[in-house]
Amino acid sequence: MVDSQYYLPNDIGISALDCREAFRLLSPQEKMYAHYLSRASWYGGLVVLLQTSPESANIFVLLQRIFRKETPEELEKVAATVGLSSEEYKAFLVYAAGLYANMGNYKSFGDTKFVPNLPKDKLEALVRASQAFQEKPVEMEALWNNSSTLIFSLEDRQKQLGLGDKGITTYFSGNCTLEDAELAQRFLDSKKLSAYNTRLFKRSDGGKVCYEVRLASAETSCGTFTFEDKEFIVKRGDYCPLMEKVCFYLQQAEAYAANENQQKMLEQYRHSFNFGSVESHKEGSRFWIKDKGPIVESYIGFIESYRDPFGSRGEFEGFVAVVNKAMSERFTKLVSSAEVLLSELPWPQEFEKDTFLKPDFTSLDVLTFAGSGIPAGINIPNYDDIRQSEGFKNVSLGNVLAVAYATQKEKLTFLKEEDKDLFIKWKGPSFEVQVGLHELLGHGSGKLFVQDHKGKLNFNKDKVINPETGELVSSWYQGSETWDSKFSTIASSYEECRAECVGLYLCLNKEVLRIFGLEGQDAEDVVYINWLSMVRAGLLGLEFYTPESKNWRQAHMQARFVILRVLLEAGEGLVGLKEVVGHDGKPDAQITLDRTKIHTVGKHAIQRFLCKLQVFKSTADVEGGRALYDGYSSVGDSGANNFLRLRETVLLRKEARKMFVQANTKVNGDHVELVEYESSAAGLIRSFTERFQEDADQLEADLLELSKKDTPCWYCH
């Protein structure tokens, strides 16, 4: 029996993202614009297969070839003839849907590997009986042989993503260590190159170590440098055929842009993906920020660095979404109140940006989100220098929120019975408030103290006092150092924790609740459920901790566990967490939160902790920040709570994360049609087989070639 944490259950939730109404209201020009941006996003999203694991691209091609020849319904008849039970066939469909939804065979949320929940010989029998295999036995045999072992393998190192012995990563060759990652970061800093769109490969030539830094781009070229007595080759052309496709479709979209900002933005993105230039992507992001309140909103590129074990390389994502006007009005009101609310945050004024750059804050219905997973809200761009001095945008993804957090009462774990109905009633509205505050005033707040290349400081070092020490600020970011490069492995989670704390802290403000249409008892209930959700999420977070490597695999869940620890430490009966026996006689746990103490004990605890987080961040105090964050992140079996034992209970009672089925668009004459699919594994699979129809053979050949080329690099320990 495979541990249930390593496969997706047959009853996993699968929901269609509904954007029919939003799409219908677009003009013909806007529909064309959305269509071509979606195409660029989907082709770019395939990069994630190559960023996730050595075998992901091969498995993707294997599945595409099978389902292009036979629909899930047709294949079911074949499955029955070779001896698969209906449950085993469903497990295969769920696995295939999972690979598409996560763009690889590791969960996008938690980074653990998942394998098919059926015997290997049964899956092999199905593959061999498929029409695709009958038509091209030699090719399909090779595909199966190349991927079958890794599809099912759960060797320790392959159970999760990580660097070196801690897991699998394709951001680095298999022989790279943390020291190599640090050396490469110093090299990139010295050349003023960003790591966002790179991968690192280490080679030994006759005993001499050489590093190859690869930049994602359509164009190919090469340059050699010596740094700290090591040879570095900087090579353009990573994911070349996919980058060409992205550039082609961005050019098509340009013809339908609504204004000059959109045109220039797409021009810069194309330049970025053509030549591997992060500077051009930053330039494109500047035009994107200036494009206020567009009807069709999108962003594309190497964005989030959660999955790079070092914390500075971005995973590709592209999204296209349509503005939801009614919900956006609330967020616009929140933006108008932002400056007043920022002054309430618990750090001195000098630690806040000199001026608040009012961002666009809209609620969007997602048409396309290509990448490894779909978030509920986003604050971008991630470039600190732009965010600090030029601005940013916030988006809340309304149709994702609508289905992601709908919960059935019988599946609600770890809560008292009397809390469950209230939780179901207010989970959606409370999460909307939390996402709004988290993105706008969490990620959008706080100043970084920086000394630029010319020695100029953006603060007065003779006057600014560190509130934690009572002395003058004594450290800051220098030259090309960034938040990500300094705080590296903890940067993502630490920043998510800071943003979550801002949400908890500011949701206590009556004015904020009023903006979201909440007053009186409703407002109090939303505060209670928001805090209770956070505490429960902290416990659920234990699923994403690996005791063997003492490693957290998901930034947000680590952040929520840290907050749970902070609130437990506050004492005075604010939060209770006890182990109990469930109705089924198995271990269970129960969380309690004293709602009368949220505004006093709870607020004070978050206030103190949030101030510390910001001060360490502002002053580039990696040592202090790490000590604080690692302390609260530790999962042990001593003290008031045995978190290692609680983790077993969480795993026993976990519910799989939902998967989303997304629509396709296709051009028919001079108009664009929306093609929708059913909310099932079969619907999700069909959406992917129809997504890449026009050039399927060439695309699959390119993916296999890209994958094969690097095969020797992954296992060279």
Side-chain angles (χ1 to χ4, degrees):
M1 275 294 290
V2 174
D3 181 334
S4 69
Q5 136 178 43
Y6 298 109
Y7 62 76
L8 305 173
N10 278 6
D11 65 352
I12 191 167
I14 300 178
S15 301
L17 276 188
D18 179 15
C19 63
R20 185 184 313 167
E21 186 57 15
F23 188 77
R24 188 182 68 77
L25 295 171
L26 295 179
S27 71
Q29 179 184 341
E30 288 161 351
K31 285 180 180 173
M32 281 289 190
Y33 183 65
H35 167 74
Y36 286 116
L37 283 177
S38 293
R39 302 307 293 149
S41 298
W42 285 121
Y43 278 95
L46 296 172
V47 165
V48 178
L49 293 165
L50 299 155
Q51 289 183 301
T52 299
S53 73
E55 65 274 14
S56 286
N58 285 351
I59 305 170
F60 177 87
V61 173
L62 179 74
L63 294 172
Q64 287 288 83
R65 289 195 173 165
I66 289 171
F67 288 116
R68 277 200 294 123
K69 292 293 178 189
E70 290 166 289
T71 65
E73 293 74 21
E74 289 165 343
L75 194 64
E76 186 166 14
K77 298 187 183 81
V78 179
T81 63
V82 293
L84 271 74
S85 69
S86 64
E87 282 301 295
E88 285 169 336
Y89 182 65
K90 182 154 193 208
F92 167 60
L93 291 188
V94 164
Y95 174 78
L99 186 110
Y100 289 131
N102 292 281
M103 253 314 135
N105 59 338
Y106 286 76
K107 293 176 191 170
S108 65
F109 201 86
D111 293 345
T112 35
K113 187 173 186 176
F114 57 94
V115 301
N117 188 21
L118 71 158
K120 186 177 176 181
D121 58 344
K122 293 269 183 100
L123 180 54
E124 182 168 2
L126 177 61
V127 170
R128 289 181 179 281
S130 69
Q131 194 182 327
F133 199 100
Q134 304 303 310
E135 288 182 16
K136 294 192 172 167
V138 178
E139 282 183 30
M140 290 296 283
E141 176 93 48
L143 249 182
W144 173 255
N145 290 341
N146 276 340
S147 47
S148 59
T149 304
L150 284 169
I151 286 175
F152 284 92
S153 169
L154 282 172
E155 284 178 28
D156 281 350
R157 188 169 160 240
Q158 283 159 5
K159 284 179 177 173
Q160 66 281 313
L161 300 178
L163 188 59
D165 294 329
K166 287 192 170 173
I168 286 292
T169 178
T170 49
Y171 287 101
F172 297 89
S173 56
N175 53 359
C176 280
T177 62
L178 193 57
E179 288 70 35
D180 295 316
E182 286 165 349
L183 170 65
Q185 188 63 54
R186 292 197 297 277
F187 165 72
L188 290 167
D189 286 346
S190 77
K191 293 285 171 223
K192 296 190 176 57
L193 280 174
S194 164
Y196 268 121
N197 62 345
T198 69
R199 294 196 288 171
L200 184 69
F201 294 78
K202 178 182 172 184
R203 285 202 308 268
S204 241
D205 278 344
K208 190 175 187 307
V209 173
C210 162
Y211 294 94
E212 181 178 300
V213 175
R214 282 203 207 151
L215 273 62
S217 66
E219 295 290 326
T220 54
S221 68
C222 201
T224 307
F225 307 88
T226 302
F227 179 78
E228 293 186 17
D229 294 332
K230 299 281 190 294
E231 188 183 348
F232 276 84
I233 298 167
V234 177
K235 211 172 185 178
R236 285 194 174 90
D238 210 6
Y239 322 118
C240 162
L242 297 175
M243 293 291 100
E244 282 174 355
K245 282 292 208 186
V246 175
C247 292
F248 170 77
Y249 283 116
L250 288 177
Q251 189 160 15
Q252 306 293 103
E254 231 173 282
Y256 300 98
N259 54 50
E260 198 182 352
N261 277 324
Q262 286 182 2
Q263 269 173 340
K264 289 186 168 166
M265 163 187 94
L266 295 178
E267 220 171 85
Q268 291 293 337
Y269 288 165
R270 272 198 298 122
H271 190 270
S272 168
F273 301 139
N274 247 322
F275 299 101
S277 162
V278 171
E279 280 309 312
S280 294
H281 193 269
K282 286 171 91 166
E283 204 50 45
S285 300
R286 290 185 171 102
F287 287 116
W288 178 71
I289 294 165
K290 288 175 191 162
D291 183 29
K292 300 281 184 198
I295 304 297
V296 177
E297 184 60 284
S298 72
Y299 197 63
I300 188 169
F302 294 86
I303 316 290
E304 302 293 355
S305 54
Y306 301 126
R307 291 178 109 180
D308 167 17
F310 188 66
S312 55
R313 285 155 190 79
E315 185 175 67
F316 196 95
E317 71 179 41
F319 77 82
V320 184
V322 182
V323 171
N324 175 323
K325 294 200 170 100
M327 182 60 73
S328 296
E329 275 176 34
R330 291 183 192 175
F331 290 133
T332 304
K333 283 182 192 159
L334 191 62
V335 171
S336 302
S337 314
E339 282 166 279
V340 177
L341 294 170
L342 281 170
S343 65
E344 293 195 12
L345 289 170
W347 47 77
Q349 193 189 335
E350 295 84 358
F351 285 73
E352 193 44 73
K353 291 174 191 156
D354 304 334
T355 49
F356 178 69
L357 302 153
K358 283 195 175 175
D360 241 15
F361 198 167
T362 45
S363 176
L364 306 174
D365 284 341
V366 171
L367 167 67
T368 292
F369 207 115
S372 65
I374 310 181
I378 319 170
N379 171 295
I380 31 184
N382 281 342
Y383 305 117
D384 274 322
D385 50 345
I386 295 182
R387 219 194 274 215
Q388 290 277 320
S389 55
E390 295 172 61
F392 53 91
K393 281 189 190 182
N394 285 287
V395 296
S396 172
L397 304 176
N399 57 345
V400 176
L401 279 170
V403 289
Y405 297 96
T407 316
Q408 295 159 294
K409 191 171 177 179
E410 57 275 15
K411 288 190 173 178
L412 258 187
T413 49
F414 311 131
L415 295 178
K416 292 188 302 186
E417 276 308 310
E418 56 265 39
D419 279 335
K420 288 184 179 177
D421 288 328
L422 204 61
F423 191 93
I424 286 168
K425 180 179 180 184
W426 294 113
K427 178 74 177 97
S430 75
F431 199 70
E432 195 179 286
V433 173
Q434 180 68 11
V435 167
L437 295 171
H438 172 116
E439 300 297 349
L440 174 68
L441 297 156
H443 293 315
S445 65
K447 177 172 179 166
L448 299 185
F449 296 147
V450 179
Q451 183 169 26
D452 66 18
H453 292 289
K454 295 173 184 164
K456 188 170 175 243
L457 291 157
N458 69 344
F459 69 104
N460 186 339
K461 72 176 172 54
D462 300 321
K463 281 198 175 156
V464 178
I465 301 289
N466 178 328
E468 294 299 315
T469 62
E471 294 168 8
L472 289 171
V473 163
S474 58
S475 57
W476 47 83
Y477 298 84
Q478 300 188 6
S480 56
E481 288 178 343
T482 64
W483 160 249
D484 278 335
S485 72
K486 282 290 275 189
F487 281 71
S488 68
T489 52
I490 65 163
S492 288
S493 185
Y494 186 111
E495 174 59 13
E496 292 306 331
C497 188
R498 195 181 69 85
E500 291 285 45
C501 286
V502 168
L504 285 182
Y505 188 72
L506 289 178
C507 82
L508 302 175
N509 183 301
K510 283 192 165 63
E511 188 47 45
V512 166
L513 296 162
R514 213 168 281 128
I515 288 168
F516 286 90
L518 299 160
E519 299 196 54
Q521 189 58 46
D522 287 356
E524 284 306 311
D525 284 348
V526 161
V527 167
Y528 175 57
I529 294 306
N530 195 32
W531 279 61
L532 185 64
S533 296
M534 188 62 71
V535 172
R536 177 173 179 262
L539 178 60
L540 296 177
L542 287 166
E543 178 193 336
F544 303 92
Y545 176 76
T546 307
E548 295 77 19
S549 58
K550 294 187 166 51
N551 229 17
W552 282 92
R553 306 184 313 274
Q554 213 292 322
H556 299 79
M557 296 315 267
Q558 178 181 357
R560 290 159 189 163
F561 176 75
V562 165
I563 292 169
L564 167 64
R565 292 281 309 273
V566 169
L567 294 177
L568 280 167
E569 187 185 85
E572 297 186 51
L574 172 70
V575 172
L577 172 57
K578 63 179 181 184
E579 297 181 59
V580 295
V581 175
H583 297 307
D584 54 7
K586 294 176 183 173
D588 207 339
Q590 193 176 74
I591 287 161
T592 52
L593 172 68
D594 184 339
R595 64 190 294 166
T596 66
K597 292 180 177 164
I598 293 173
H599 284 268
T600 52
V601 182
K603 184 178 181 180
H604 180 69
I606 291 295
Q607 190 172 21
R608 287 287 308 119
F609 183 59
L610 190 46
C611 187
K612 283 192 173 86
L613 287 176
Q614 184 57 48
V615 168
F616 290 135
K617 182 181 179 183
S618 289
T619 58
D621 183 352
V622 181
E623 219 169 283
R626 265 190 193 279
L628 175 76
Y629 204 67
D630 289 346
Y632 282 112
S633 298
S634 69
V635 178
D637 54 9
S638 58
N641 299 103
N642 183 333
F643 286 115
L644 281 175
R645 194 165 63 223
L646 278 163
R647 179 180 172 273
E648 296 301 318
T649 305
V650 169
L651 286 175
L652 177 72
R653 301 194 176 275
K654 74 186 176 73
E655 187 188 352
R657 199 171 166 82
K658 277 194 178 121
M659 299 196 285
F660 297 117
V661 183
Q662 298 184 60
N664 277 321
T665 51
K666 66 175 186 189
V667 176
N668 194 341
D670 57 358
H671 66 281
V672 181
E673 287 175 9
L674 187 71
V675 186
E676 295 176 288
Y677 303 90
E678 64 183 51
S679 299
S680 65
L684 207 161
I685 290 164
R686 197 172 292 117
S687 73
F688 270 88
T689 43
E690 291 183 9
R691 198 155 277 153
F692 304 104
Q693 273 174 321
E694 60 265 35
D695 59 350
D697 290 329
Q698 183 58 53
L699 179 68
E700 288 161 16
D702 287 342
L703 281 169
L704 292 177
E705 183 53 40
L706 288 167
S707 179
K708 182 179 157 192
K709 191 176 69 185
D710 292 328
T711 300
C713 303
W714 309 128
Y715 303 103
C716 51
H717 252 350

